[in-house]
Amino acid sequence: KEERIVVLETENAFLHLKLAEYQGLAGRSTNEILQLYAAHDQQMKFQRSSVLTQLHGAIEKRLKQDLKSLHSFALELSKDFQRQSKTCLYQVVAAVQGIQLQNEAMQMFQIKAFDLEQSLQEVTERYKKEKQKRKALHNSLIELRGNIRVHCRIRPLLPFDDAAGHSQDRQINFSEKVAYAADDETVLVKSSRPGHASVNKTFQFERVYNDLESQDAVFADVSPLLTSLLDGYNVCIMAYGQTGSGKTHTMLGPQLEGNLALAIEEDSELGIIPRATQEVFRLISEKPPGSYWVEVSVVEVYNNEIFDLLAKDSCGKVFGIKRDVVTTREGKSDVPLLTHETVENASEFLHLVNKSLQLRVTHPTLVHAHSSRSHLVVTLTITTVFGDNFGTLWEDEQTSQRLNKEASFTFPQKMRDNKSTSSSRASSPVQLEATEKMKQVKTRLQLVDLAGSECVGMSGVTGAALRETSFINRSLSALADVLGAIAEQRAHVPYRNSKLTHLLQDSIGGDAKLLVMLCISPGQKYLTESMQSLGFGTRARQVQRGQVKKRNFPVLSKGK
């Protein structure tokens, strides 16, 4: 319609130009007539001949005819212009009315779209709130039942996934991805190999991380457990999976061979162990000064033997010394003569861990060039100190009364009189005073990087490395047996079948909080090992500790 208006306006302008042209022609004709009249008058004055008279009459007649024709044409042109102008005006009015109707319709659609967007936002917010409520209720249910939390992390495909693992399967594309994160709670394993049964199975866990999620996302779901640590619960976080599935990356980060103490400044890729330490000291900084102190011990379980990685020789050089794990009269696990170092910040802790990692046993296999051949257990022991006036440090009067009532036990002289640890533990003034005037509560945070759980045929190890693999698989099998015994609520739980389970006894049983981080390789090459790891995680989720026993540790945070 707008184009039609432009065409009509162009025609109108053209007609105006024509009218102006004819008007100019008429003007020129008039001038010519006047000139002729003047000439005629002059000629009439000088010559009164009949020829001039006839000529004047003919010219006058001709001019009258031309003027009449011109006037008729101009009148017709004006009428035509008026008709076309009216037609164009009607068309313009109709076009404007149509545009107005379209604008009104567009406004109505915009209003409807805005209402729909608002409704969608409201529904989305309600969905998010309901999802958060569901997760909160689910976590509360887990805490009430005492169940293990199992998270699963699927690493991205890596260059060494392209290498063929078995000579008889060279036609299989080992770099094909078969394990996926269907959503944040479901793992989908889908595979179809020639000569093998097809696999299409899903596994449910409390949290599933895809290959694009960062270390920040992983730790965001782990950090709430650290609050439970200061609330009086033992906490254990362990990474389970085959060699090369990303356990050490998840627990320590990519700076395994570098200096972890220096890497704290660039913490975007730090793993759970350094991040957990930072968070623990951050939480402690919010508490009353002098009410907490932290000790660290680092051991590795190698060939079913425990080695103290912080022990020092007579020259002060760190080297691994074999220790043993025992069960105390209270039914707790303990490692006599184990070295504990007091740390005051995350940098000191990471410095000790970095020195310990240099002693950890590694051996190249077909799966990974730096395969860890031992289970690494980093333990932070948090000692909480409070006295008779402890209630004045807390805002909640009922909480302080409950704490004073529950914390009825002490640790007399233990911190000072244990000669085996006096050389490595700092005799802080808080420790010395606490032995006589204060009450103490100890909790443990055990961070475990388990050795790989792959089969011998996959790793291709022989000799001493084969013996290492045998011990690794036996200890992991013992861990599965312990979880199975807890799940079936057996009277006897075989913690002592392995040094690993015996060492972690306090963090697996009772009311301790245990998080198993399953690390999965997504490639076709590791399908069997990935299915085994997912099966282990599924069985671990079925563990129910039964009724929660009377707690030995007080709750130190409000509302817990």
Side-chain angles (χ1 to χ4, degrees):
K1 292 177 181 178
E2 291 178 353
E3 290 177 354
R4 178 59 180 167
I5 290 172
V6 172
V7 172
L8 294 174
E9 287 178 348
T10 303
E11 292 178 357
N12 188 12
F14 177 77
L15 294 174
H16 274 291
L17 290 175
K18 269 193 170 185
L19 179 60
E21 180 181 355
Y22 283 112
Q23 287 177 348
L25 182 60
R28 289 194 299 272
S29 300
T30 303
N31 291 332
E32 290 176 359
I33 291 172
L34 293 176
Q35 291 176 0
L36 290 175
Y37 271 116
H40 176 67
D41 290 337
Q42 289 177 358
Q43 289 178 0
M44 287 296 292
K45 289 178 181 179
F46 295 103
Q47 296 179 1
R48 295 286 182 178
S49 64
S50 60
V51 177
L52 292 176
T53 303
Q54 292 177 355
L55 180 61
H56 179 268
I59 292 173
E60 187 177 3
K61 184 178 180 181
R62 178 73 178 180
L63 289 175
K64 287 181 179 179
Q65 290 178 353
D66 290 341
L67 287 173
K68 187 176 181 179
S69 299
L70 182 61
H71 180 71
S72 299
F73 178 76
L75 184 62
E76 184 180 355
L77 183 63
S78 177
K79 291 181 180 179
D80 184 58
F81 173 74
Q82 290 179 356
R83 286 195 301 270
Q84 291 185 1
S85 298
K86 288 181 180 180
T87 303
C88 292
L89 182 60
Y90 291 147
Q91 291 178 350
V92 169
V93 171
V96 170
Q97 290 177 350
I99 292 173
Q100 289 178 349
L101 292 174
Q102 290 178 355
N103 288 336
E104 291 177 357
M106 182 64 68
Q107 290 177 356
M108 292 179 62
F109 283 125
Q110 288 177 348
I111 293 173
K112 289 182 179 180
F114 180 74
D115 293 338
L116 290 175
E117 288 180 357
Q118 284 188 331
S119 300
L120 179 61
Q121 289 179 354
E122 291 176 0
V123 172
T124 303
E125 292 296 329
R126 288 172 56 190
Y127 169 74
K128 289 181 178 178
K129 290 180 180 179
E130 292 298 328
K131 188 175 181 181
Q132 291 175 354
K133 288 181 181 179
R134 185 192 66 79
K135 286 188 175 181
L137 292 173
H138 181 64
N139 290 334
S140 299
L141 181 63
I142 290 175
E143 291 182 358
L144 291 173
R145 292 181 176 179
N147 287 354
I148 294 174
R149 304 181 189 186
V150 181
H151 295 185
C152 181
R153 188 180 194 187
I154 302 175
R155 70 161 173 80
L157 289 171
L158 299 175
F160 62 79
D161 290 331
D162 293 333
H166 303 281
S167 59
Q168 63 269 27
D169 292 337
R170 292 190 181 275
Q171 296 181 351
I172 298 176
N173 182 10
F174 287 106
S175 63
E176 179 185 358
K177 191 173 182 180
V178 297
Y180 311 87
D183 53 44
D184 59 358
E185 294 182 355
T186 308
V187 176
L188 170 64
V189 179
K190 191 172 184 180
S191 172
S192 178
R193 295 181 295 174
H196 297 77
S198 60
V199 178
N200 189 358
K201 192 172 183 181
T202 59
F203 299 85
Q204 299 289 331
F205 301 106
E206 279 74 22
R207 182 70 163 87
V208 175
Y209 308 94
N210 60 42
D211 55 358
L212 299 178
E213 295 195 66
S214 64
Q215 301 277 62
D216 293 329
V218 174
F219 185 72
D221 297 318
V222 174
S223 57
L225 288 175
L226 303 179
T227 303
S228 299
L229 177 70
L230 299 185
D231 288 342
Y233 292 95
N234 288 335
V235 176
C236 179
I237 304 171
M238 65 171 62
Y240 182 97
Q242 68 174 104
T243 299
S245 60
K247 300 186 303 299
T248 301
H249 177 84
T250 299
M251 296 302 293
L252 292 171
Q255 298 88 2
L256 174 60
E257 298 178 357
N259 192 336
L260 284 174
L262 297 177
I264 192 172
E265 299 297 333
E266 300 177 357
D267 57 356
S268 61
E269 289 299 321
L270 287 179
I272 291 175
I273 292 178
R275 288 173 184 265
T277 308
Q278 291 176 317
E279 180 67 10
V280 166
F281 280 103
R282 188 192 67 80
L283 293 174
I284 289 176
S285 67
E286 299 174 355
K287 305 296 182 180
S291 59
Y292 292 85
W293 78 84
V294 182
E295 295 173 304
V296 59
S297 63
V298 183
V299 302
E300 70 170 348
V301 182
Y302 174 67
N303 287 353
N304 204 33
E305 296 290 347
I306 296 176
F307 289 89
D308 185 356
L309 299 185
L310 292 182
K312 299 179 181 179
D313 58 13
S314 57
C315 299
K317 184 178 180 181
V318 177
F319 71 105
I321 295 180
K322 186 162 62 174
R323 306 294 190 192
D324 198 7
V325 58
V326 298
T327 302
T328 63
R329 293 179 181 179
E330 294 80 13
K332 305 293 183 181
S333 63
D334 186 32
V335 180
L337 306 179
L338 181 63
T339 303
H340 293 79
E341 294 281 359
T342 301
V343 292
E344 297 182 355
N345 51 58
S347 296
E348 293 181 3
F349 165 82
L350 293 175
H351 177 69
L352 293 174
V353 173
N354 184 66
K355 291 195 300 183
S356 303
L357 291 175
Q358 297 174 5
L359 300 177
R360 191 179 184 187
V361 179
T362 60
H363 190 278
T365 68
L366 293 180
V367 178
H368 198 274
H370 302 283
S371 175
S372 300
R373 313 308 294 165
S374 65
H375 309 296
L376 179 70
V377 181
V378 179
T379 304
L380 273 76
T381 303
I382 314 296
T383 303
T384 308
V385 182
F386 55 95
D388 294 335
N389 61 345
F390 178 71
T392 62
L393 299 176
W394 303 93
E395 297 177 1
D396 193 335
E397 181 179 357
Q398 295 180 353
T399 302
S400 64
Q401 292 175 356
R402 184 172 67 255
L403 294 175
N404 282 300
K405 182 178 179 180
E406 291 184 359
S408 58
F409 56 91
T410 60
F411 296 86
Q413 305 296 329
K414 181 176 181 181
M415 301 299 295
R416 293 185 296 172
D417 297 341
N418 191 342
K419 297 181 181 179
S420 63
T421 58
S422 60
S423 62
S424 59
R425 295 186 183 183
S427 298
S428 64
V430 177
Q431 285 177 301
L432 297 177
E433 185 179 0
T435 56
E436 302 203 0
K437 295 183 180 180
M438 301 236 178
K439 300 175 184 179
Q440 299 178 354
V441 175
K442 287 194 174 186
T443 53
R444 291 180 182 173
L445 170 62
Q446 292 188 302
L447 305 163
V448 187
D449 180 18
L450 295 173
S453 60
E454 74 281 347
C455 63
V456 175
M458 174 65 71
S459 60
V461 294
T462 58
L466 178 60
R467 184 169 179 268
E468 293 169 350
T469 301
S470 176
F471 278 109
I472 290 171
N473 290 335
R474 271 188 269 175
S475 60
L476 295 176
S477 177
L479 178 61
D481 292 340
V482 167
L483 296 178
I486 297 175
E488 297 174 5
Q489 300 184 3
R490 300 179 197 165
H492 172 69
V493 180
Y495 291 112
R496 300 187 185 183
N497 285 1
S498 169
K499 296 289 181 68
L500 174 65
T501 54
H502 198 180
L503 180 66
L504 301 177
Q505 175 179 344
D506 298 341
S507 301
I508 298 178
D511 56 358
K513 307 297 180 182
L514 173 61
L515 187 146
V516 179
M517 183 68 68
L518 295 180
C519 295
I520 303 300
S521 301
Q524 177 79 59
K525 176 180 179 181
Y526 308 107
L527 175 62
T528 302
E529 286 73 15
S530 297
M531 291 294 291
Q532 185 273 333
S533 298
L534 293 170
F536 175 87
T538 301
R539 291 191 299 273
R541 287 193 72 207
Q542 298 172 354
V543 174
Q544 295 185 0
R545 305 187 200 281
Q547 295 182 352
V548 178
K549 300 178 181 179
K550 183 178 180 181
R551 296 172 50 211
N552 294 325
F553 300 101
V555 178
L556 302 182
S557 294
K558 291 178 62 178
K560 292 290 183 180

